[in-house]
mmCIF file of all heavy atoms in Angstrom:
data_model
loop_
_atom_site.group_PDB
_atom_site.id
_atom_site.type_symbol
_atom_site.label_atom_id
_atom_site.label_comp_id
_atom_site.label_asym_id
_atom_site.label_seq_id
_atom_site.Cartn_x
_atom_site.Cartn_y
_atom_site.Cartn_z
ATOM 1 N N LEU A 1138 101.893 89.454 116.924
ATOM 2 C CA LEU A 1138 102.610 90.690 117.257
ATOM 3 C C LEU A 1138 103.973 90.345 117.843
ATOM 4 O O LEU A 1138 104.113 90.147 119.066
ATOM 5 C CB LEU A 1138 101.802 91.516 118.274
ATOM 6 C CG LEU A 1138 100.656 92.395 117.744
ATOM 7 C CD1 LEU A 1138 99.567 91.584 117.068
ATOM 8 C CD2 LEU A 1138 100.072 93.249 118.850
ATOM 9 N N PRO A 1139 105.001 90.266 116.989
ATOM 10 C CA PRO A 1139 106.328 89.972 117.521
ATOM 11 C C PRO A 1139 106.894 91.169 118.272
ATOM 12 O O PRO A 1139 106.562 92.321 118.000
ATOM 13 C CB PRO A 1139 107.178 89.715 116.261
ATOM 14 C CG PRO A 1139 106.203 89.600 115.123
ATOM 15 C CD PRO A 1139 105.001 90.398 115.533
ATOM 16 N N GLY A 1140 107.784 90.869 119.200
ATOM 17 C CA GLY A 1140 108.636 91.904 119.772
ATOM 18 C C GLY A 1140 109.850 92.081 118.864
ATOM 19 O O GLY A 1140 109.891 91.573 117.740
ATOM 20 N N GLY A 1141 110.839 92.807 119.360
ATOM 21 C CA GLY A 1141 112.051 93.007 118.575
ATOM 22 C C GLY A 1141 112.667 91.666 118.201
ATOM 23 O O GLY A 1141 112.889 90.825 119.068
ATOM 24 N N THR A 1142 112.921 91.474 116.922
ATOM 25 C CA THR A 1142 113.360 90.174 116.418
ATOM 26 C C THR A 1142 114.638 90.355 115.601
ATOM 27 O O THR A 1142 114.777 91.333 114.863
ATOM 28 C CB THR A 1142 112.236 89.532 115.562
ATOM 29 O OG1 THR A 1142 111.033 89.512 116.341
ATOM 30 C CG2 THR A 1142 112.597 88.118 115.146
ATOM 31 N N ASP A 1143 115.526 89.384 115.757
ATOM 32 C CA ASP A 1143 116.851 89.476 115.139
ATOM 33 C C ASP A 1143 116.779 89.131 113.649
ATOM 34 O O ASP A 1143 117.079 88.021 113.225
ATOM 35 C CB ASP A 1143 117.811 88.531 115.877
ATOM 36 C CG ASP A 1143 119.253 88.766 115.464
ATOM 37 O OD1 ASP A 1143 119.505 89.706 114.675
ATOM 38 O OD2 ASP A 1143 120.120 88.013 115.929
ATOM 39 N N THR A 1144 116.338 90.112 112.875
ATOM 40 C CA THR A 1144 116.216 89.989 111.411
ATOM 41 C C THR A 1144 116.813 91.267 110.825
ATOM 42 O O THR A 1144 117.075 92.226 111.571
ATOM 43 C CB THR A 1144 114.731 89.913 110.996
ATOM 44 O OG1 THR A 1144 114.126 91.198 111.283
ATOM 45 C CG2 THR A 1144 113.970 88.817 111.738
ATOM 46 N N PRO A 1145 116.969 91.343 109.505
ATOM 47 C CA PRO A 1145 117.451 92.609 108.937
ATOM 48 C C PRO A 1145 116.598 93.807 109.352
ATOM 49 O O PRO A 1145 117.126 94.870 109.678
ATOM 50 C CB PRO A 1145 117.378 92.341 107.424
ATOM 51 C CG PRO A 1145 117.579 90.856 107.312
ATOM 52 C CD PRO A 1145 116.900 90.254 108.512
ATOM 53 N N LEU A 1146 115.270 93.622 109.391
ATOM 54 C CA LEU A 1146 114.392 94.738 109.809
ATOM 55 C C LEU A 1146 114.646 95.099 111.273
ATOM 56 O O LEU A 1146 114.814 96.268 111.622
ATOM 57 C CB LEU A 1146 112.927 94.336 109.585
ATOM 58 C CG LEU A 1146 111.831 95.371 109.852
ATOM 59 C CD1 LEU A 1146 110.621 95.103 108.963
ATOM 60 C CD2 LEU A 1146 111.401 95.407 111.300
ATOM 61 N N GLY A 1147 114.710 94.102 112.125
ATOM 62 C CA GLY A 1147 114.931 94.359 113.553
ATOM 63 C C GLY A 1147 116.303 94.948 113.816
ATOM 64 O O GLY A 1147 116.466 95.850 114.650
ATOM 65 N N ARG A 1148 117.294 94.453 113.082
ATOM 66 C CA ARG A 1148 118.681 94.918 113.279
ATOM 67 C C ARG A 1148 118.882 96.359 112.829
ATOM 68 O O ARG A 1148 119.825 97.023 113.259
ATOM 69 C CB ARG A 1148 119.647 94.001 112.522
ATOM 70 C CG ARG A 1148 119.911 92.694 113.256
ATOM 71 C CD ARG A 1148 120.956 92.890 114.339
ATOM 72 N NE ARG A 1148 121.045 91.738 115.222
ATOM 73 C CZ ARG A 1148 121.917 91.613 116.201
ATOM 74 N NH1 ARG A 1148 122.781 92.570 116.444
ATOM 75 N NH2 ARG A 1148 121.928 90.546 116.952
ATOM 76 N N ALA A 1149 117.986 96.837 111.961
ATOM 77 C CA ALA A 1149 118.109 98.229 111.513
ATOM 78 C C ALA A 1149 117.959 99.194 112.693
ATOM 79 O O ALA A 1149 118.428 100.328 112.642
ATOM 80 C CB ALA A 1149 117.058 98.520 110.444
#
Side-chain angles (χ1 to χ4, degrees):
L1138 279 62
T1142 307
D1143 191 4
T1144 67
L1146 184 151
R1148 282 279 169 176

